[in-house]
Amino acid sequence: MRSADVLAVGRSLLLRSVLPLPYLHLAKTGGSSVGQALAHAHASACKIHTSHIHLPECDKGRRSLAAYRVAIVEGAHRYARQKLLVDGLRRLRDVQSTLNSSDAAPRLWLSAVRRPEDWFYSAIGHWCSYSGHAPQAQSHSVACKPYSNNFSLGTLRSAKLFSIAAPSYYFRSGDFQTGALRGFFEERTWLLCALPQLGFLARVLAHVLQRPVSLRHDNVATWHHRAAFKRAVPWSALRRLYARDEQFYDWLTRGGPNASCMGRAESAELRSMVDILGRNSGLRIRWRDAPGLPSSNEMAP
């Protein structure tokens, strides 16, 4: 079969689903840029729990989820699954027929992860640039003052970071990314890339939507105290809080930038579609047959 035919077959399989293709947006991993690119492309896309992206809300207004081809959902996988596959389906008129048809069609989950050290300093910079200084966060804003005396990891803990009472869901625990992806790897069809390959995920979306999707850096926060913060709280002090994230990211990128996307697809047609899109981008997709996050032994150097 010609490549063009394989690409067409894979796309048609995805479009059989009554629900939009879900893009799981983990905070500070480029999801805002993807969402804004879809908005600029006037794509058939909606958003959930991402306020600054100029897309309609998936769960508001007169249109149902079935009216969109892509949904950008910020949050953990379990939250996205609840919003799309439970709450979303409940709002459709014929729930039973919808469940039957959507279960029969493959649903390709997309997401990206970021080097944990870069993720943390981006997340703290973003929070301190915006909500960290908002009135409701004043009691926690000591975490955003690295120029104060004796500023350290202990200062962050005293500000309730890395606890259930953290002022932002970014910092309720360590291992933010693998924690948010719990359940993602159990899906029948998914594709996950390291952040440098975000453009490839955009090309997959462009193929599904049959329109150009051009990325540009969005949701940029400038925090003037970032360098001082990194000196006061170096990565060596934080690493153990993100050990699982770091182990996973190192494993994902071990083969180099051209092999830093992995996926799972029970459908041979979808796997072939993604493989061709990958080769056209100079990438080799690493496929997994078994569900679940790789074990620590598998990820060991």
Side-chain angles (χ1 to χ4, degrees), residues 18-263:
V18 298
L19 293 175
L21 183 152
Y23 186 100
L24 184 63
H25 168 27
L26 307 186
K28 309 312 299 173
T29 63
S32 295
S33 296
V34 172
Q36 287 296 71
L38 294 175
H40 289 303
H42 303 289
S44 174
C46 60
K47 66 180 181 180
I48 295 177
H49 193 219
T50 304
S51 59
H52 53 274
I53 294 177
H54 299 145
L55 289 172
E57 296 280 353
C58 296
D59 51 358
K60 293 182 181 178
R62 296 179 180 179
R63 301 182 73 186
S64 73
L65 276 172
Y68 301 101
R69 288 188 173 173
V70 177
I72 305 287
V73 189
E74 180 179 347
H77 170 264
R78 62 182 177 275
Y79 170 81
R81 210 171 202 286
Q82 173 73 29
K83 297 296 287 186
L84 291 173
L85 303 186
V86 180
D87 297 350
L89 288 174
R90 188 181 296 125
R91 284 192 298 273
L92 297 178
R93 290 183 178 178
D94 190 350
V95 175
Q96 189 57 50
S97 64
T98 297
L99 281 168
N100 291 340
S101 59
S102 64
D103 280 349
R107 186 177 302 106
L108 175 62
W109 288 77
L110 301 178
S111 194
V113 290
R114 187 175 188 175
R115 182 171 172 254
E117 179 177 354
D118 296 337
W119 178 88
F120 176 81
Y121 291 114
S122 175
I124 194 73
H126 182 269
W127 181 70
C128 287
S129 295
Y130 296 106
S131 55
H133 289 296
Q136 67 269 25
Q138 284 179 357
S139 62
H140 304 293
S141 61
V142 63
C144 302
K145 298 177 180 178
Y147 45 80
S148 59
N149 293 333
N150 302 316
F151 191 91
S152 67
L153 178 59
T155 309
L156 303 185
R157 292 191 182 280
S158 70
K160 301 287 194 286
L161 270 69
F162 313 115
S163 76
I164 194 65
S168 169
Y169 81 94
Y170 296 178
F171 310 116
R172 287 181 185 152
S173 67
D175 288 327
F176 174 88
Q177 296 179 86
T178 52
L181 287 168
R182 192 173 295 119
F184 180 90
F185 301 103
E186 308 294 335
E187 296 289 349
R188 292 183 294 176
T189 309
W190 52 265
L191 179 65
L192 177 79
C193 292
L195 184 59
Q197 300 303 340
L198 190 66
F200 174 61
L201 295 178
R203 285 189 283 278
V204 173
L205 291 172
H207 172 64
V208 173
L209 294 164
Q210 289 293 285
R211 65 177 60 214
V213 177
S214 301
L215 284 181
R216 56 186 177 185
H217 198 181
D218 187 70
N219 198 23
V220 181
T222 301
W223 188 42
H224 300 298
H225 302 304
R226 178 175 174 138
F229 186 99
K230 290 187 74 170
R231 287 194 298 270
V233 188
W235 183 243
S236 58
L238 294 159
R239 173 168 272 148
R240 63 186 180 83
L241 292 167
Y242 295 94
R244 181 72 163 167
D245 279 5
E246 194 163 53
Q247 183 186 40
F248 176 72
Y249 189 84
D250 289 348
W251 176 79
L252 177 64
T253 58
R254 190 175 298 163
N258 293 336
S260 58
C261 290
M262 63 182 294

Side-chain angles (χ1 to χ4, degrees), residues 190-192 261-265 271 285-289:
W190 52 265
L191 179 65
L192 177 79
C261 290
M262 63 182 294
R264 180 175 182 239
R271 184 178 291 206
I285 311 302
R286 295 159 55 192
W287 293 104
R288 293 183 61 78
D289 294 321

